[in-house]
Amino acid sequence: DNYPDTVIMAPDSSYFTVIKGDGFYDTGDGDSWYDHYIENYSLKTTYETKVQENYSIKMGAESEFQTIQVLDIYKPWLGASGFGLNYDAYKAQPSSHGVFIQNHLNLQGMVFDFGLRYDLWFAGKYAEDALANDSISPLSGALRDKYYNETSQVLGRRARGIISPRFGLANMISRELSLFASYSRFTRKPSPQYLYAKLYTPSNAAYQLFGNPALDFEKVTNIETGLKWLPNPRIALGISGYIKYIQDYIAATAISPDPRFPDETYFVYFNLDYATSQGVELEFIHKASDIFTLSANSSFSRARGERSLPADILRGLKTRSEG
């Protein structure tokens, strides 16, 4: 109502069109409404020193504090709850902290890199309260016991800790040929929806997918080795191979509290799956002149795993129900 009317006259002045408001339609039938809010604070500090001419150390620490708030409403005009036919709402405050040390040693053409990292992850009070709540049916006593066995009490909250080693080696076999290899362990925290979804907001939907606040890290191990060859000052060739393992990959699975009542089946995220990928990469570089360089890359890779997405189990169920 704050916008003036727009009047458009026909070319022959025989009629005119009046457009009310700002020219946009303010009504519709979209069935999904959501509000996602994330507030993130992080702090990182590092220190590096050269112990000897060929040996240096780098160490550091970092912290991250988050506030995650989610409100999802599906078909807001239906249902008796006031939040539509189906909804989810949660507010969690997880945090994570890490310390690391890296060592770099150069021994006349052979370079060693070795490091360790320790991560400490707090899922937050929201997750702990949900696990302690006996009225949340997906979170059984066995799951609660598993969580307490796998976490430690730190400053009044439960936390998961994990150590990740990293190792690298590069060796010049000759002036033209060099060999390199590396081994690295990484961790990935679960996305918030895998932890907190639907814990306090169950619905009458046929397929309910609940978060699991007792989820562990996903662990990624990466191993790589290769050769680099310089047949002449203007040509470089490289070949490398790698293999990557993903352990404790998150996937949803069905839970049936009582086999006599299959209609009460629901779905929960767990660290269930395992995936691998392998590959070979070839690289060719030719420096034709000081201003022109030609490069070519070729790769072959293969990945194997149970699921491509954590919630893939629902795709098959929905397809069968619709068929």
Side-chain angles (χ1 to χ4, degrees):
D1 296 338
N2 296 327
Y3 292 90
D5 295 342
T6 301
V7 180
I8 302 176
M9 187 69 67
D12 59 0
S13 301
S14 60
Y15 65 93
F16 59 87
T17 302
V18 178
I19 299 178
K20 306 288 289 184
D22 57 3
F24 291 93
Y25 290 103
D26 296 323
T27 60
D29 57 357
D31 56 13
S32 297
W33 186 92
Y34 64 91
D35 177 46
H36 294 183
Y37 169 82
I38 296 180
E39 186 176 287
N40 189 83
Y41 295 94
S42 61
L43 175 67
K44 181 176 181 179
T45 180
T46 60
Y47 172 75
E48 186 171 4
T49 182
K50 182 173 284 190
V51 180
Q52 298 179 0
E53 186 64 29
N54 64 340
Y55 177 49
S56 61
I57 296 177
K58 182 179 181 181
M59 59 189 70
E62 56 187 28
S63 294
E64 182 181 58
F65 303 87
Q66 288 184 315
T67 298
I68 302 169
Q69 180 174 290
V70 170
L71 176 58
D72 282 351
I73 299 176
Y74 178 64
K75 293 189 176 181
W77 56 85
L78 296 178
S81 66
F83 289 94
L85 181 65
N86 189 11
Y87 78 100
D88 192 15
Y90 57 82
K91 183 177 182 180
Q93 294 178 309
S95 65
S96 58
H97 311 270
V99 293
F100 64 88
I101 182 170
Q102 298 173 353
N103 300 269
H104 179 80
L105 178 63
N106 192 333
L107 296 175
Q108 298 181 351
M110 182 175 290
V111 178
F112 292 94
D113 287 292
F114 175 71
L116 284 174
R117 179 183 176 92
Y118 179 75
D119 286 285
L120 192 65
W121 169 43
F122 297 80
K125 185 176 184 299
Y126 186 92
E128 294 179 32
D129 290 346
L131 284 163
N133 192 330
D134 294 331
S135 64
I136 302 178
S137 55
L139 306 182
S140 64
L143 188 62
R144 187 180 303 114
D145 293 341
K146 180 176 182 294
Y147 175 74
Y148 281 103
N149 290 334
E150 295 177 354
T151 59
S152 302
Q153 189 84 2
V154 180
L155 299 176
R157 297 259 75 91
R158 307 297 300 186
R160 289 184 179 275
I162 189 170
I163 296 176
S164 303
R166 297 168 190 182
F167 173 79
L169 166 68
N171 183 25
M172 290 189 63
I173 300 174
S174 67
R175 295 183 61 181
E176 296 81 20
L177 185 65
S178 61
L179 167 70
F180 65 91
S182 65
Y183 171 91
S184 304
R185 285 286 303 270
F186 302 92
T187 59
R188 297 194 303 213
K189 293 182 299 182
S191 297
Q193 68 268 27
Y194 303 152
L195 294 165
Y196 312 118
K198 305 296 292 182
L199 294 180
Y200 290 95
T201 57
S203 67
N204 294 322
Y207 305 107
Q208 294 197 70
L209 181 52
F210 292 90
N212 179 0
L215 285 176
D216 198 354
F217 293 99
E218 289 183 341
K219 291 101 173 174
V220 181
T221 301
N222 192 70
I223 302 172
E224 184 177 8
T225 186
L227 290 169
K228 291 184 179 180
W229 180 41
L230 301 174
N232 62 60
R234 292 189 174 273
I235 294 179
L237 298 172
I239 180 171
S240 62
Y242 69 88
I243 182 168
K244 179 186 291 186
Y245 302 95
I246 303 177
Q247 297 170 285
D248 291 330
Y249 187 80
I250 296 171
T253 189
I255 301 295
S256 298
D258 191 334
R260 297 172 299 174
F261 303 100
D263 293 339
E264 295 182 3
T265 298
Y266 46 80
F267 301 88
V268 183
Y269 291 109
F270 287 97
N271 297 101
L272 286 178
D273 283 351
Y274 174 84
T276 63
S277 63
Q278 304 92 26
V280 177
E281 296 180 352
L282 302 173
E283 182 180 21
F284 169 79
I285 300 176
H286 175 50
K287 188 175 182 180
S289 67
D290 292 338
I291 61 174
F292 181 75
T293 300
L294 174 67
S295 64
N297 292 274
S298 178
S299 63
F300 172 79
S301 62
R302 179 185 180 186
R304 292 178 294 175
E306 290 294 325
R307 298 176 178 87
S308 57
L309 293 172
D312 272 355
I313 189 173
L314 295 184
R315 292 184 179 182
L317 290 169
K318 290 181 179 179
T319 301
R320 289 197 297 269
S321 65
E322 292 169 358

